[in-house]
Each structure stands twice: as C-alpha cells, then as structure tokens.
Amino acid sequence: MRNKFKEVQCDKQSDIIVLVETWLYSEEKYFSIDGYSSVYSCRDTRGGGAAVYIKSNIKFRELKCSISQSFKWICLSIDNKFKLSVLYRPPSLPCN
C-alpha cells in the first residue's frame, strides 16, 4: 500500500474506498486521507490486511464479526442503512 497510496489519495469522488493486501502491521502508523475516516484490520505478519476509508460526512459504526483468527475482517454499519463486510483470507488458507 505504501507505494500506491498517493493514487488512492487522489480518488476524492468515492464515498467508500476498500483496500486489501495493505501490508500494514498492527503497530504501524496508518495512512490517512483528508476528508475520510478509516478502519483497519492488520495482520501480525508480513502482507495481507484490509482497510476501509469512509467520507467523513457518512455515519458508520464498527460491528463485531464472527471471526476466525485466520481471517482479517472489517464489519461496518453504514448510516444504519446497510452493512459492509470486508474479508482478507491469506492465500495459504484453504477455501473450504
């Protein structure tokens, strides 16, 4: 994500931006986009992870997800109108 973040920052027309394979670590300082709030789910190892950027004028809240320790999830309620779930599954894990 570090090498592509300037491109992401240019997209000011989207209300919600979802990224996977962020490669951010849990203790790392996260990237911000002016005018957006953000939610992250990072791995403790190299690679993977997910991020969601939501325009600041959109109300949202984080929801608890039924999660497996193997997956990285972000679950949000957007404006109390719909739910958004983002899942990162490491390629080493089987699909079934």
Side-chain angles (χ1 to χ4, degrees), residues 19-36:
L19 303 172
V20 294
E21 288 288 350
T22 58
W23 285 54
L24 296 175
Y25 297 98
S26 57
E27 299 300 319
E28 191 170 11
K29 181 174 170 63
Y30 302 131
F31 295 93
S32 63
I33 301 175
D34 288 339
Y36 287 80

Side-chain angles (χ1 to χ4, degrees), residues 70-84:
S70 304
F71 298 112
K72 288 299 177 183
W73 288 80
I74 298 174
C75 298
L76 304 172
S77 174
I78 310 291
D79 259 343
N80 287 321
K81 294 180 182 174
F82 69 94
K83 293 179 180 159
L84 171 70

Side-chain angles (χ1 to χ4, degrees), residues 39-80:
V39 180
Y40 298 90
S41 182
C42 301
R43 293 182 69 199
D44 294 327
T45 60
R46 185 174 179 249
V52 178
Y53 293 88
I54 303 163
K55 275 202 174 167
S56 297
N57 64 331
I58 298 173
K59 293 180 183 177
F60 73 95
R61 64 185 170 89
E62 256 187 281
L63 303 173
K64 288 194 175 220
C65 299
S66 299
I67 62 171
S68 159
Q69 293 296 333
S70 304
F71 298 112
K72 288 299 177 183
W73 288 80
I74 298 174
C75 298
L76 304 172
S77 174
I78 310 291
D79 259 343
N80 287 321

Side-chain angles (χ1 to χ4, degrees), residues 81-93:
K81 294 180 182 174
F82 69 94
K83 293 179 180 159
L84 171 70
S85 294
V86 178
L87 165 70
Y88 171 79
R89 180 190 61 83
S92 60
L93 289 178

